[in-house]
């Protein structure tokens, strides 16, 4: 399921079988339910305290410069649930910062050309996903 998280009322996107449009508050609750709670379950089990999981990461921007352009969309997800967050409001930015900080301990962030995404995230949100696996670099190495 893909969740499009926005507080913008101007969008004419409607729900489908594979897509749900939700408010920022509802999106925060869904992210908490699907990602944060799973890390709390892992943390509570002493035998699985080193267990990590992959989480896809991607951004969309309005240009290529982290200094002159803005982050427009932040996308994160796994094989079951994907979240696309519009990054227009301070509340959305806070949600993303909180998500990255909470998941860093448990997640290996996976994506293509993560160097670009990390530069944009660092410049705009001042937070950095920790452990990364860049599929573009892996492919170029092979």
């Amino acid at each position: 399921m893909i969740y499009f998280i926005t507080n913008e009322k101007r969008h004419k996107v409607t729900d489908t079988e594979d897509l749900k449009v939700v408010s920022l508050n509802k999106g925060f609750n869904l992210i908490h339910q699907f990602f944060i709670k799973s890390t709390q379950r892992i943390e509570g089990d002493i035998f699985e305290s080193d267990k990590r999981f992959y989480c896809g990461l991607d951004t969309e921007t309005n240009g290529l410069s982290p200094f002159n352009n803005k982050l427009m969309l932040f996308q994160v997800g796994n094989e079951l649930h994907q979240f696309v967050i519009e990054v227009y409001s301070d509340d959305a930015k806070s949600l993303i910062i909180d998500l990255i900080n909470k998941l860093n301990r448990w997640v290996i962030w996976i994506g293509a050309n993560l160097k670009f995404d990390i530069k944009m995230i660092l410049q705009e949100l001042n937070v950095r996903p920790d452990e990364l696996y860049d599929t573009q670099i892996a492919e170029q190495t092979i």
Side-chain angles (χ1 to χ4, degrees), residues 40-56:
Q40 289 170 347
R41 280 196 298 275
I42 292 169
E43 193 171 11
D45 186 347
I46 196 167
F47 299 109
E48 295 184 340
S49 61
D50 61 344
K51 195 171 196 175
R52 312 228 356 147
F53 59 93
Y54 288 99
C55 195

Side-chain angles (χ1 to χ4, degrees), residues 42 48 50-54 103-109 130-131:
I42 292 169
E48 295 184 340
D50 61 344
K51 195 171 196 175
R52 312 228 356 147
F53 59 93
Y54 288 99
L103 290 182
N104 261 341
R105 180 174 174 196
W106 303 108
V107 166
I108 299 168
W109 303 95
D130 285 342
E131 194 169 338

Side-chain angles (χ1 to χ4, degrees), residues 6-130:
T6 182
N7 275 343
E8 296 289 323
K9 304 294 184 213
R10 60 188 164 91
H11 293 298
K12 302 295 183 213
V13 181
T14 57
D15 290 352
T16 67
E17 186 176 314
D18 299 320
L19 173 75
K20 282 207 172 296
V21 180
V22 296
S23 69
L24 195 59
N25 288 337
K26 185 169 184 174
F28 176 80
N29 291 336
L30 288 169
I31 288 172
H32 184 66
Q33 176 184 344
F34 294 131
F35 289 125
I36 308 298
K37 277 189 176 179
S38 65
T39 64
Q40 289 170 347
R41 280 196 298 275
I42 292 169
E43 193 171 11
D45 186 347
I46 196 167
F47 299 109
E48 295 184 340
S49 61
D50 61 344
K51 195 171 196 175
R52 312 228 356 147
F53 59 93
Y54 288 99
C55 195
L57 172 67
D58 191 25
T59 62
E60 302 302 330
T61 65
N62 64 352
L64 299 176
S65 170
F67 303 106
N68 298 323
N69 298 110
K70 295 285 184 191
L71 200 58
M72 307 295 283
L73 295 173
F74 177 86
Q75 298 145 137
V76 63
N78 60 19
E79 63 276 2
L80 298 176
H81 304 286
Q82 301 85 41
F83 298 92
V84 179
I85 305 170
E86 250 185 337
V87 190
Y88 291 131
S89 69
D90 288 338
D91 289 339
K93 291 177 183 179
S94 295
L95 169 63
I96 296 165
I97 291 167
D98 189 46
L99 176 68
I100 291 171
N101 284 330
K102 286 185 177 175
L103 290 182
N104 261 341
R105 180 174 174 196
W106 303 108
V107 166
I108 299 168
W109 303 95
I110 187 170
N113 193 19
L114 285 175
K115 180 180 174 182
F116 172 78
D117 297 313
I118 299 307
K119 284 182 183 178
M120 294 301 290
I121 292 168
L122 266 171
Q123 181 62 32
E124 186 138 352
L125 304 175
N126 197 30
V127 65
R128 184 187 186 284
D130 285 342

